[in-house]
Amino acid sequence: KIPEGDYFCHLCRYKKETGSTAETVCELCTQKSGAFVRSMSQRPRKGEDPKWVHVACAKWMGINYMDLKVRDMVENLTTFKQTWCAQGIQCFVCERKRGACIKC
């Protein structure tokens, strides 16, 4: 059954509730559009927006949801990103060290 009323994705709902106009970039692939879910990164400072990641990118990298019933937030990406950086891993696809570094 399709629910009544308007549907807003997690990011759109957040922007509607907070009035945020900040540009959103996936923390893993650096693309700016798509279906986003919030990352449980460190609490944003006042005036800062939380970090966001594509649902597909999170699943591709094995990132888990914090609550499987709600599925509105994935685990913190900080440790993953620090590990990639510490190991000096550069992405095989885009040849950069930003976002998710996939080493083949």
XYZ file of all heavy atoms in Angstrom:
831
model
N 0.845 -1.189 0.000
C 0.000 0.000 0.000
C 0.887 1.248 0.000
O 1.843 1.336 0.758
C -0.890 -0.008 1.237
C -1.796 1.185 1.300
C -2.663 1.145 2.530
C -3.460 2.426 2.587
N -4.161 2.585 3.822
N 0.546 2.199 -0.835
C 1.291 3.459 -0.898
C 0.727 4.410 0.147
O -0.484 4.657 0.186
C 1.190 4.081 -2.304
C 1.793 3.127 -3.329
C 1.872 5.440 -2.336
C 1.612 3.559 -4.758
N 1.584 4.958 1.011
C 1.092 5.869 2.055
C 0.528 7.162 1.462
O 0.931 7.599 0.388
C 2.327 6.172 2.903
C 3.456 5.430 2.313
C 2.999 4.731 1.078
N -0.360 7.765 2.192
C -0.962 9.040 1.794
C 0.021 10.178 2.046
O 0.909 10.073 2.881
C -2.240 9.295 2.605
C -3.357 8.310 2.334
C -3.926 8.414 0.940
O -4.046 9.537 0.424
O -4.248 7.363 0.360
N -0.159 11.284 1.335
C 0.634 12.484 1.585
C 1.951 12.503 0.824
O 2.259 11.614 0.037
N 2.723 13.549 1.079
C 3.998 13.740 0.413
C 5.070 12.837 1.006
O 5.061 12.553 2.201
C 4.460 15.192 0.551
C 3.536 16.156 -0.181
O 2.949 15.758 -1.190
O 3.423 17.309 0.280
N 5.994 12.402 0.158
C 7.139 11.624 0.617
C 8.397 12.462 0.422
O 8.585 13.076 -0.617
C 7.300 10.323 -0.178
C 8.605 9.640 0.136
C 8.746 8.878 1.283
C 9.719 9.815 -0.682
C 9.957 8.283 1.599
C 10.927 9.222 -0.369
C 11.042 8.461 0.773
O 12.244 7.891 1.084
N 9.223 12.508 1.448
C 10.497 13.193 1.356
C 11.599 12.229 1.774
O 11.479 11.559 2.796
C 10.539 14.418 2.286
C 9.575 15.502 1.888
C 8.346 15.609 2.513
C 9.900 16.420 0.901
C 7.454 16.600 2.151
C 9.017 17.407 0.538
C 7.789 17.508 1.162
N 12.680 12.172 0.989
C 13.817 11.335 1.367
C 14.447 11.922 2.632
O 14.105 13.027 3.055
C 14.834 11.263 0.228
S 15.689 12.810 -0.102
N 15.386 11.195 3.216
C 16.008 11.637 4.471
C 16.649 13.020 4.338
O 16.468 13.877 5.196
C 17.061 10.630 4.935
C 16.509 9.277 5.219
N 15.636 9.034 6.251
C 16.699 8.093 4.597
C 15.312 7.759 6.252
N 15.937 7.163 5.254
N 17.379 13.235 3.259
C 18.048 14.513 3.059
C 17.042 15.644 2.852
O 17.157 16.704 3.462
C 19.008 14.435 1.870
C 19.695 15.739 1.483
C 20.539 16.279 2.631
C 20.543 15.533 0.235
N 16.054 15.413 2.005
C 15.050 16.455 1.752
C 14.261 16.783 3.015
O 13.957 17.943 3.291
C 14.108 16.030 0.633
S 14.923 15.951 -0.972
N 13.938 15.761 3.794
C 13.232 15.984 5.061
C 14.088 16.835 5.994
O 13.610 17.781 6.616
C 12.885 14.648 5.708
C 11.953 14.780 6.889
C 11.519 13.440 7.481
N 11.287 12.424 6.473
C 11.801 11.198 6.527
N 12.567 10.832 7.522
N 11.534 10.329 5.581
N 15.375 16.507 6.080
C 16.291 17.272 6.935
C 16.347 18.731 6.484
O 16.247 19.648 7.292
C 17.696 16.651 6.895
C 18.735 17.512 7.560
C 18.894 17.484 8.945
C 19.538 18.377 6.827
C 19.826 18.287 9.568
C 20.474 19.174 7.439
C 20.612 19.135 8.808
O 21.534 19.946 9.421
N 16.506 18.936 5.190
C 16.605 20.304 4.670
C 15.310 21.079 4.871
O 15.328 22.270 5.172
C 17.028 20.295 3.201
C 18.480 19.895 3.037
C 18.972 20.108 1.633
C 20.472 19.857 1.598
N 21.114 20.434 0.453
N 14.184 20.386 4.746
C 12.896 21.043 4.960
C 12.729 21.441 6.424
O 12.278 22.536 6.735
C 11.758 20.110 4.529
C 10.400 20.743 4.606
C 9.320 19.812 4.114
C 8.004 20.552 4.172
N 6.858 19.713 4.071
N 13.119 20.543 7.332
C 12.960 20.807 8.773
C 13.925 21.871 9.285
O 13.593 22.628 10.171
C 13.159 19.522 9.573
C 12.052 18.509 9.377
C 12.359 17.145 9.964
O 13.471 16.957 10.535
O 11.499 16.248 9.850
N 15.145 21.925 8.734
C 16.166 22.847 9.250
C 16.319 24.113 8.426
O 16.937 25.067 8.874
C 17.544 22.150 9.306
O 17.947 21.810 7.977
C 17.504 20.921 10.194
N 15.804 24.089 7.205
C 15.977 25.232 6.321
C 17.369 25.293 5.698
O 17.759 26.307 5.122
N 18.118 24.222 5.803
C 19.474 24.180 5.262
C 19.462 24.311 3.747
O 18.641 23.712 3.061
C 20.155 22.860 5.645
O 21.389 22.736 4.975
N 20.387 25.096 3.230
C 20.547 25.240 1.784
C 21.946 24.789 1.356
O 22.335 25.003 0.219
C 20.329 26.700 1.350
O 21.260 27.524 2.059
C 18.905 27.154 1.637
N 22.673 24.175 2.266
C 24.044 23.741 1.980
C 24.064 22.665 0.906
O 23.167 21.832 0.836
C 24.701 23.210 3.250
N 25.090 22.699 0.084
C 25.269 21.678 -0.937
C 25.656 20.369 -0.253
O 26.475 20.344 0.654
C 26.365 22.110 -1.897
C 26.550 21.187 -3.061
C 27.553 21.732 -4.047
O 28.743 21.792 -3.716
O 27.124 22.099 -5.154
N 25.076 19.277 -0.695
C 25.342 17.973 -0.102
C 26.209 17.160 -1.043
O 25.946 17.090 -2.232
C 24.022 17.233 0.161
O 23.203 18.056 0.987
C 24.266 15.913 0.848
N 27.235 16.528 -0.469
C 28.164 15.699 -1.234
C 28.285 14.361 -0.517
O 28.434 14.314 0.702
C 29.544 16.373 -1.320
C 30.540 15.481 -2.040
C 29.451 17.719 -2.000
N 28.233 13.277 -1.270
C 28.408 11.956 -0.682
C 29.815 11.839 -0.109
O 30.793 12.164 -0.780
C 28.168 10.875 -1.735
S 28.459 9.193 -1.138
N 29.921 11.377 1.107
C 31.218 11.221 1.766
C 32.046 10.097 1.168
O 33.236 10.003 1.431
C 31.012 10.959 3.260
C 30.596 12.177 4.029
C 31.675 13.245 4.045
O 32.789 12.982 4.527
O 31.399 14.352 3.552
N 31.433 9.257 0.361
C 32.161 8.136 -0.217
C 32.495 8.303 -1.694
O 33.557 7.902 -2.135
C 31.395 6.830 0.009
C 31.267 6.408 1.465
C 30.405 5.162 1.591
C 32.640 6.171 2.082
N 31.595 8.891 -2.474
C 31.883 8.997 -3.910
C 32.003 10.433 -4.395
O 32.345 10.657 -5.549
C 30.819 8.265 -4.727
S 29.272 9.176 -4.914
N 31.698 11.389 -3.567
C 31.776 12.832 -3.820
C 30.771 13.347 -4.858
O 30.878 14.469 -5.304
C 33.200 13.292 -4.210
O 33.527 12.813 -5.501
C 34.231 12.822 -3.199
N 29.766 12.546 -5.223
C 28.717 13.018 -6.130
C 27.689 13.819 -5.334
O 27.509 13.602 -4.134
C 28.054 11.845 -6.843
C 29.001 11.081 -7.751
C 29.526 11.945 -8.883
O 28.781 12.614 -9.579
N 30.847 11.939 -9.045
N 26.986 14.724 -6.002
C 26.103 15.665 -5.315
C 24.616 15.362 -5.420
O 23.804 16.073 -4.856
C 26.362 17.077 -5.848
C 27.781 17.527 -5.601
C 28.051 18.862 -6.240
C 29.515 19.226 -6.041
N 29.867 20.444 -6.741
N 24.241 14.321 -6.143
C 22.812 14.015 -6.251
C 22.595 12.534 -6.022
O 23.520 11.738 -6.141
C 22.283 14.425 -7.629
O 22.934 13.678 -8.631
N 21.371 12.177 -5.679
C 21.045 10.779 -5.452
C 20.302 10.575 -4.148
O 19.914 11.534 -3.486
N 20.130 9.333 -3.776
C 19.405 8.967 -2.550
C 20.385 8.907 -1.382
O 21.208 8.002 -1.296
C 18.718 7.619 -2.733
N 20.306 9.890 -0.505
C 21.235 10.006 0.613
C 20.645 9.501 1.927
O 19.437 9.556 2.142
C 21.631 11.472 0.831
C 22.562 12.015 -0.209
C 22.082 12.727 -1.287
C 23.929 11.835 -0.093
C 22.939 13.250 -2.238
C 24.797 12.346 -1.037
C 24.299 13.052 -2.118
N 21.544 9.064 2.802
C 21.202 8.722 4.170
C 22.271 9.379 5.049
O 23.423 9.544 4.629
C 21.128 7.184 4.381
C 22.484 6.527 4.189
C 20.548 6.839 5.731
N 21.881 9.774 6.230
C 22.795 10.478 7.137
C 23.849 9.528 7.699
O 23.574 8.379 8.000
C 21.976 11.089 8.277
C 22.755 11.986 9.164
C 21.826 12.631 10.160
N 22.589 13.399 11.116
C 22.070 14.216 11.993
N 20.760 14.346 12.063
N 22.828 14.880 12.809
N 25.057 10.045 7.847
C 26.145 9.282 8.458
C 26.246 9.667 9.929
O 26.116 10.835 10.279
C 27.464 9.609 7.758
O 28.548 9.161 8.528
N 26.479 8.679 10.774
C 26.614 8.956 12.199
C 28.038 9.433 12.491
O 28.755 8.857 13.278
C 26.307 7.708 13.017
C 26.211 7.968 14.488
S 25.889 6.427 15.339
C 26.552 6.840 16.920
N 28.448 10.479 11.800
C 29.756 11.054 12.061
C 29.652 11.930 13.302
O 28.586 12.077 13.879
C 30.233 11.856 10.849
O 29.254 12.766 10.452
N 30.756 12.505 13.690
C 30.751 13.336 14.882
C 29.677 14.402 14.748
O 29.406 14.891 13.666
C 32.123 13.964 15.075
C 33.187 12.911 15.275
C 34.585 13.448 15.069
O 34.770 14.524 14.543
N 35.565 12.671 15.472
N 29.081 14.755 15.883
C 28.005 15.754 15.855
C 28.493 17.038 15.193
O 29.551 17.544 15.522
C 27.546 16.082 17.270
C 26.737 14.985 17.890
C 25.814 15.595 18.943
N 24.996 14.573 19.525
C 23.805 14.240 19.069
N 23.301 14.854 18.044
N 23.102 13.307 19.658
N 27.710 17.538 14.233
C 28.121 18.777 13.586
C 28.110 19.944 14.573
O 27.303 19.964 15.503
C 27.078 18.985 12.491
C 26.045 17.950 12.667
C 26.488 16.997 13.721
N 29.028 20.867 14.373
C 29.029 22.074 15.200
C 27.808 22.907 14.837
O 27.214 22.718 13.783
C 30.302 22.873 14.952
C 31.543 22.150 15.381
C 32.775 23.041 15.168
N 33.954 22.240 15.295
C 34.864 22.094 14.352
N 34.729 22.717 13.198
N 35.908 21.332 14.544
N 27.480 23.832 15.705
C 26.325 24.684 15.455
C 26.494 25.379 14.105
O 27.529 25.942 13.812
C 26.184 25.717 16.571
C 24.904 26.494 16.489
C 24.713 27.384 17.685
C 23.380 28.089 17.572
N 23.090 28.901 18.733
N 25.476 25.299 13.297
C 25.505 25.913 11.978
C 26.048 24.998 10.886
O 25.997 25.344 9.718
N 26.575 23.837 11.252
C 27.082 22.884 10.268
C 26.050 21.801 10.010
O 25.314 21.422 10.899
C 28.370 22.205 10.765
C 29.583 23.076 10.755
C 30.828 22.311 11.181
O 30.721 21.123 11.542
O 31.907 22.912 11.160
N 26.026 21.305 8.804
C 25.129 20.202 8.452
C 25.820 18.875 8.733
O 27.048 18.787 8.704
C 24.743 20.278 6.979
C 23.741 21.390 6.708
O 22.813 21.547 7.530
O 23.879 22.079 5.690
N 25.044 17.826 8.972
C 25.649 16.496 9.157
C 26.241 15.988 7.852
O 26.024 16.558 6.788
C 24.466 15.631 9.606
C 23.269 16.330 9.106
C 23.599 17.794 9.075
N 26.972 14.900 7.938
C 27.563 14.259 6.758
C 26.534 13.302 6.161
O 25.753 12.684 6.875
C 28.824 13.493 7.132
C 29.878 14.337 7.811
C 30.450 15.352 6.860
C 31.569 16.126 7.536
N 32.085 17.187 6.708
N 26.564 13.173 4.839
C 25.609 12.329 4.130
C 26.343 11.374 3.207
O 27.448 11.652 2.745
C 24.646 13.199 3.321
C 23.815 14.080 4.183
C 24.138 15.342 4.618
C 22.555 13.776 4.755
N 23.127 15.824 5.418
C 22.152 14.897 5.522
C 21.708 12.673 4.698
C 20.949 14.936 6.208
C 20.508 12.717 5.383
C 20.140 13.838 6.130
N 25.717 10.252 2.923
C 26.292 9.234 2.047
C 25.153 8.608 1.238
O 24.027 8.510 1.717
C 27.059 8.175 2.878
C 26.159 7.468 3.841
C 27.763 7.180 1.999
N 25.455 8.249 -0.005
C 24.447 7.547 -0.801
C 24.148 6.188 -0.173
O 25.062 5.507 0.309
C 24.958 7.297 -2.229
C 25.028 8.522 -3.064
N 26.223 9.008 -3.546
C 24.062 9.351 -3.513
C 25.982 10.092 -4.261
N 24.681 10.325 -4.252
N 22.916 5.806 -0.220
C 22.524 4.485 0.284
C 23.315 3.408 -0.457
O 23.873 2.493 0.148
C 20.999 4.267 0.123
C 20.613 2.851 0.487
C 20.226 5.282 0.958
N 23.392 3.510 -1.775
C 24.101 2.508 -2.581
C 25.595 2.483 -2.258
O 26.199 1.406 -2.176
C 23.885 2.777 -4.065
N 26.205 3.633 -2.062
C 27.642 3.686 -1.731
C 27.901 3.021 -0.381
O 28.866 2.271 -0.223
C 28.135 5.127 -1.686
S 28.187 5.933 -3.301
N 27.038 3.311 0.584
C 27.195 2.718 1.917
C 27.094 1.200 1.841
O 27.916 0.483 2.428
C 26.143 3.277 2.872
N 26.138 0.702 1.125
C 25.968 -0.752 1.007
C 27.130 -1.378 0.240
O 27.614 -2.447 0.593
C 24.624 -1.085 0.332
C 23.416 -0.685 1.150
C 23.220 -1.525 2.409
C 23.921 -1.045 3.626
N 24.009 -1.823 4.791
N 27.595 -0.719 -0.817
C 28.711 -1.230 -1.616
C 29.975 -1.383 -0.763
O 30.738 -2.324 -0.915
C 28.975 -0.286 -2.785
C 30.086 -0.730 -3.677
C 31.374 -0.286 -3.663
C 30.024 -1.708 -4.711
N 32.112 -0.919 -4.626
C 31.307 -1.804 -5.286
C 28.995 -2.515 -5.210
C 31.585 -2.677 -6.333
C 29.289 -3.374 -6.251
C 30.566 -3.450 -6.798
N 30.173 -0.436 0.173
C 31.371 -0.440 1.019
C 31.169 -1.245 2.305
O 32.067 -1.313 3.137
C 31.765 0.998 1.372
C 32.168 1.828 0.165
S 33.556 1.147 -0.771
C 34.868 1.278 0.410
N 29.993 -1.827 2.498
C 29.747 -2.643 3.687
C 29.445 -1.841 4.939
O 29.604 -2.326 6.055
N 28.999 -0.613 4.772
C 28.632 0.250 5.898
C 27.234 -0.167 6.358
O 26.338 -0.346 5.542
C 28.634 1.740 5.483
C 29.946 2.124 4.795
C 28.321 2.641 6.653
C 31.173 2.065 5.639
N 27.039 -0.289 7.642
C 25.774 -0.783 8.188
C 24.864 0.332 8.683
O 25.328 1.387 9.113
C 26.057 -1.730 9.365
C 26.830 -2.944 8.920
O 26.457 -3.608 7.965
N 27.921 -3.222 9.601
N 23.562 0.050 8.655
C 22.591 0.959 9.257
C 22.708 0.877 10.774
O 23.009 -0.187 11.322
C 21.157 0.571 8.865
C 20.786 0.942 7.458
C 20.646 -0.031 6.478
C 20.547 2.263 7.116
C 20.297 0.304 5.181
C 20.196 2.607 5.814
C 20.070 1.629 4.862
O 19.721 1.970 3.586
N 22.441 1.978 11.447
C 22.477 1.999 12.905
C 21.245 1.313 13.477
O 21.305 0.688 14.514
C 22.575 3.444 13.433
C 23.847 4.145 13.006
S 25.366 3.241 13.415
C 25.282 3.180 15.179
N 20.114 1.436 12.806
C 18.861 0.824 13.241
C 18.207 0.210 12.010
O 17.763 0.926 11.107
C 17.954 1.884 13.871
C 16.657 1.327 14.411
O 16.233 0.227 13.993
O 16.055 1.999 15.264
N 18.135 -1.111 11.966
C 17.601 -1.787 10.782
C 16.113 -1.550 10.560
O 15.612 -1.732 9.452
C 17.885 -3.284 10.858
C 19.350 -3.669 10.666
C 19.544 -5.170 10.884
C 19.848 -3.273 9.294
N 15.396 -1.147 11.589
C 13.963 -0.876 11.425
C 13.726 0.499 10.815
O 12.854 0.666 9.979
C 13.245 -0.992 12.771
C 13.200 -2.412 13.288
C 12.468 -2.500 14.596
C 12.507 -3.944 15.106
N 11.888 -4.077 16.401
N 14.500 1.486 11.239
C 14.299 2.866 10.781
C 15.103 3.163 9.514
O 14.625 3.836 8.609
C 14.678 3.870 11.900
C 14.481 5.301 11.444
C 13.888 3.585 13.159
N 16.334 2.684 9.443
C 17.229 2.871 8.302
C 17.383 4.322 7.880
O 17.347 4.652 6.690
C 16.769 2.022 7.115
C 16.843 0.551 7.399
C 16.384 -0.264 6.226
N 16.312 -1.659 6.615
C 16.897 -2.640 5.960
N 17.564 -2.398 4.875
N 16.798 -3.876 6.393
N 17.573 5.201 8.853
C 17.739 6.613 8.542
C 19.162 7.104 8.776
O 19.471 8.261 8.512
C 16.755 7.462 9.346
C 17.018 7.403 10.841
O 17.748 6.496 11.295
O 16.484 8.262 11.558
N 20.052 6.222 9.264
C 21.421 6.615 9.547
C 22.345 5.403 9.434
O 21.982 4.303 9.831
C 21.508 7.195 10.964
C 22.847 7.793 11.296
S 22.900 8.503 12.970
C 21.721 9.838 12.827
N 23.529 5.643 8.872
C 24.535 4.578 8.791
C 25.652 4.875 9.782
O 25.766 5.982 10.293
C 25.115 4.427 7.363
C 24.045 3.958 6.390
C 25.777 5.703 6.894
N 26.483 3.855 10.024
C 27.543 3.998 11.008
C 28.542 5.091 10.626
O 28.589 5.538 9.485
C 28.250 2.665 11.230
C 28.926 2.086 10.011
C 29.421 0.670 10.232
O 30.131 0.434 11.219
O 29.098 -0.193 9.409
N 29.334 5.496 11.592
C 30.316 6.552 11.431
C 31.356 6.153 10.378
O 31.914 5.063 10.429
C 30.991 6.805 12.786
C 31.833 8.057 12.787
O 32.333 8.487 11.772
N 31.991 8.638 13.954
N 31.632 7.051 9.453
C 32.594 6.787 8.386
C 34.004 7.242 8.730
O 34.949 6.937 8.007
C 32.153 7.499 7.107
C 30.763 7.152 6.583
C 30.432 8.017 5.387
C 30.688 5.691 6.221
N 34.162 7.955 9.826
C 35.456 8.537 10.183
C 36.551 7.483 10.272
O 37.630 7.653 9.704
C 35.352 9.311 11.515
O 34.318 10.294 11.392
C 36.652 9.994 11.854
N 36.293 6.383 10.959
C 37.301 5.338 11.126
C 37.694 4.730 9.781
O 38.876 4.518 9.513
C 36.786 4.226 12.062
O 36.414 4.819 13.297
C 37.841 3.172 12.304
N 36.710 4.468 8.933
C 36.995 3.923 7.611
C 37.911 4.868 6.833
O 38.917 4.461 6.274
C 35.707 3.714 6.805
C 34.826 2.632 7.331
C 33.726 2.932 8.126
C 35.085 1.307 7.033
C 32.911 1.934 8.608
C 34.266 0.297 7.510
C 33.177 0.613 8.312
N 37.541 6.150 6.816
C 38.297 7.126 6.044
C 39.697 7.330 6.610
O 40.659 7.479 5.864
C 37.516 8.429 5.965
C 36.245 8.276 5.118
C 35.388 9.498 5.139
C 35.939 10.516 4.193
N 35.076 11.667 4.012
N 39.844 7.304 7.940
C 41.161 7.444 8.551
C 42.049 6.252 8.214
O 43.242 6.406 7.974
C 41.033 7.594 10.067
C 40.499 8.936 10.485
C 40.211 9.016 11.975
O 40.134 8.010 12.674
N 40.046 10.233 12.472
N 41.463 5.061 8.186
C 42.215 3.854 7.845
C 42.722 3.934 6.413
O 43.890 3.651 6.135
C 41.342 2.593 8.030
O 40.908 2.537 9.384
C 42.102 1.336 7.669
N 41.853 4.327 5.470
C 42.271 4.450 4.078
C 43.395 5.471 3.949
O 44.363 5.255 3.233
C 41.099 4.850 3.193
C 39.977 3.858 3.173
C 40.083 2.502 3.237
C 38.584 4.144 3.091
N 38.823 1.927 3.200
C 37.891 2.910 3.107
C 37.845 5.316 2.996
C 36.515 2.812 3.028
C 36.461 5.232 2.915
C 35.819 3.989 2.937
N 43.264 6.585 4.648
C 44.265 7.650 4.582
C 45.591 7.179 5.169
O 46.655 7.395 4.588
C 43.744 8.878 5.330
S 44.831 10.299 5.188
N 45.539 6.530 6.331
C 46.751 6.049 6.995
C 47.492 5.035 6.142
O 48.723 4.965 6.160
C 46.398 5.451 8.354
N 46.770 4.250 5.394
C 47.384 3.238 4.537
C 47.816 3.813 3.183
O 48.389 3.111 2.365
C 46.415 2.072 4.316
C 46.142 1.280 5.567
C 45.116 0.177 5.355
O 44.575 0.003 4.276
N 44.853 -0.574 6.403
N 47.507 5.095 2.978
C 47.894 5.740 1.729
C 47.182 5.179 0.511
O 47.693 5.242 -0.603
N 45.996 4.646 0.727
C 45.248 4.041 -0.374
C 44.664 5.128 -1.268
O 44.024 6.062 -0.811
C 44.125 3.126 0.158
C 44.733 1.959 0.937
C 43.260 2.614 -0.983
C 43.707 1.092 1.637
N 44.906 4.977 -2.541
C 44.351 5.875 -3.540
C 43.311 5.096 -4.319
O 43.511 3.931 -4.634
C 45.471 6.340 -4.458
C 45.021 7.258 -5.565
C 46.211 7.788 -6.335
O 47.142 8.323 -5.759
N 46.187 7.620 -7.642
N 42.204 5.721 -4.631
C 41.138 5.042 -5.340
C 41.601 4.573 -6.721
O 42.200 5.334 -7.482
C 39.924 5.955 -5.478
S 38.543 5.175 -6.344
N 41.322 3.331 -7.026
C 41.678 2.747 -8.317
C 40.847 3.376 -9.436
O 41.320 3.545 -10.553
C 41.437 1.235 -8.278
C 41.715 0.540 -9.572
C 43.017 0.271 -9.968
C 40.678 0.169 -10.404
C 43.275 -0.363 -11.177
C 40.930 -0.468 -11.609
C 42.232 -0.734 -11.998
N 39.609 3.758 -9.128
C 38.689 4.276 -10.135
C 38.998 5.727 -10.500
O 39.199 6.062 -11.658
C 37.220 4.145 -9.666
C 36.268 4.739 -10.675
C 36.880 2.695 -9.396
N 39.074 6.619 -9.493
C 39.238 8.050 -9.780
C 40.656 8.562 -9.523
O 40.954 9.719 -9.802
C 38.230 8.877 -8.992
S 38.557 8.930 -7.210
N 41.515 7.722 -8.961
C 42.909 8.060 -8.676
C 43.058 9.230 -7.702
O 44.003 9.999 -7.778
C 43.667 8.335 -9.976
C 43.690 7.143 -10.900
C 44.419 7.404 -12.196
O 44.792 8.571 -12.474
O 44.620 6.440 -12.947
N 42.104 9.370 -6.775
C 42.182 10.403 -5.745
C 42.131 9.747 -4.380
O 41.833 8.568 -4.256
C 41.018 11.401 -5.890
C 41.094 12.182 -7.182
C 40.046 13.251 -7.261
N 38.706 12.683 -7.103
C 37.618 13.393 -6.954
N 37.661 14.684 -6.920
N 36.447 12.810 -6.822
N 42.407 10.535 -3.349
C 42.360 10.031 -1.985
C 41.181 10.619 -1.222
O 41.172 10.666 -0.018
C 43.670 10.352 -1.256
C 44.844 9.585 -1.817
C 46.096 9.852 -1.039
C 47.242 9.077 -1.643
N 48.499 9.287 -0.926
N 40.174 11.082 -1.918
C 38.982 11.662 -1.308
C 37.856 10.645 -1.394
O 37.701 9.977 -2.396
C 38.600 12.944 -2.065
C 37.219 13.484 -1.781
C 37.278 14.568 -0.727
N 36.060 15.288 -0.504
C 34.971 14.835 0.071
N 34.880 13.576 0.395
N 33.952 15.611 0.314
N 37.069 10.543 -0.345
C 35.928 9.634 -0.377
C 36.339 8.206 -0.084
O 37.261 7.948 0.677
N 35.681 7.256 -0.711
C 35.971 5.837 -0.502
C 37.124 5.426 -1.399
O 37.083 5.660 -2.601
C 34.745 4.999 -0.831
N 38.121 4.850 -0.813
C 39.274 4.403 -1.591
C 39.163 2.906 -1.817
O 39.263 2.126 -0.885
C 40.562 4.763 -0.880
S 40.781 6.545 -0.759
N 38.954 2.535 -3.052
C 38.787 1.132 -3.401
C 40.079 0.653 -4.038
O 40.495 1.156 -5.065
C 37.609 0.950 -4.386
C 36.330 1.477 -3.757
C 37.483 -0.506 -4.797
C 35.181 1.585 -4.721
N 40.722 -0.272 -3.371
C 41.975 -0.807 -3.882
C 41.704 -2.184 -4.480
O 41.249 -3.084 -3.809
C 43.000 -0.896 -2.755
C 44.364 -1.317 -3.223
C 45.353 -1.259 -2.081
C 46.729 -1.647 -2.552
N 47.702 -1.583 -1.465
N 41.973 -2.343 -5.749
C 41.730 -3.608 -6.416
C 42.931 -4.525 -6.272
O 44.025 -4.088 -6.095
C 41.423 -3.372 -7.889
S 39.892 -2.471 -8.134
